[in-house]
Amino acid sequence: SQELLDAFDLINLIFITIALVVTWPLAIFVYSKLLLCKPYSTNYTFTLIVLNGVSELFGCTTFLVNFQIATFPFARPLIVLLSNKDIGYPMKALDYLANGIGLHTAFFVALNRCKSIISLRRKGTDSTFFFASTTISLLFASLKIIDLYAFSNHYYNETDFGSGPIFIPMIEVFDKTLRTITDIETAVVSCCTFILNVVLAVFLARRRIPDDRCTSENIDCRFKGERGLIITSVVSYTFYTFYFVNSFIARYYDITFCGYAQFLFLGLASLTPFWCLIIFASSIRR
């Protein structure tokens, strides 16, 4: 019933908001350590992981502000403010930018893990890979910002839902060409990232390294160090896959429950990169 869906929506809002409030300070501390403290600061792999984690958290936060709370009466003053395009459009641009960077850096993190396990003997900082990944991620993420400003009109439709006035986010599309291109590109990147993580999961399942074989000089020890990062990539992207599939169903098949569950899956997908890093990458906790 509608009452149950409304309750589910409110619970999602409270749960993910609390999780974000708890996660942000911890993430700032841990990610600052990775960026500023050796040996992490000299390894661009961790810089890429930080970029992915921060963009995921920021994307969830901006989605919360721009869209999720719009359907709750208490958020009316904020949504009225965001209805001003001088304020609302930059906020939506930040949302698109963060989510776009998060999507593409997740692909490059998985690709980097695959590259690392193929060449465990090779040492390096991967600076070229990092800068190429960042540049490509920014370029593709900017396509949705171009669509936002040039080919669509985003606004809020105010309506009375019984408990008070709420705002429904609306989009008027003038030209679907760029939007179609970005949708296809998003689907392709998501599928490629999924495939890479399946490869990583299979590799991880087939390779077992006993602790007594690990020394600071051998390949097995280096693999043990990679294993935590591989698990982080696989598990966190599994949650993103749930979000992607749910969003696809909600958008193209108009399933009401999937629409209400979208923020829950987005929140879980955004939070898991950080928490998986803490749980599975033991060196980060030291």
Side-chain angles (χ1 to χ4, degrees), residues 2 5-6 8-9 12 161 256-264:
Q2 186 61 49
L5 288 174
D6 291 340
F8 178 67
D9 197 30
N12 289 343
F161 203 62
T256 302
F257 176 78
C258 291
Y260 277 84
Q262 184 174 4
F263 184 60
L264 174 63

Side-chain angles (χ1 to χ4, degrees), residues 211-222 224:
D211 290 340
D212 58 2
R213 288 177 56 190
C214 179
T215 67
S216 60
E217 302 297 329
N218 62 28
I219 300 301
D220 289 340
C221 186
R222 289 200 63 196
K224 285 177 68 68

Side-chain angles (χ1 to χ4, degrees), residues 9-25:
D9 197 30
L10 180 60
I11 292 171
N12 289 343
L13 175 67
I14 295 172
F15 171 67
I16 298 300
T17 301
I18 292 175
L20 285 171
V21 170
V22 171
T23 302
W24 263 116

Side-chain angles (χ1 to χ4, degrees), residues 146-159:
I146 295 173
D147 178 72
L148 169 69
Y149 280 95
F151 302 112
S152 62
N153 177 33
H154 292 239
Y155 61 97
Y156 296 95
N157 183 28
E158 186 174 6
T159 183

Side-chain angles (χ1 to χ4, degrees), residues 1 26 40 54 62 98 113 115 122 130 143 145 155 161 189 258 276:
S1 66
L26 296 174
Y40 309 109
V54 170
T62 53
R113 295 303 88 215
K115 183 171 69 71
R122 175 182 168 274
F130 169 76
L143 293 179
I145 299 177
Y155 61 97
F161 203 62
V189 172
C258 291
C276 286

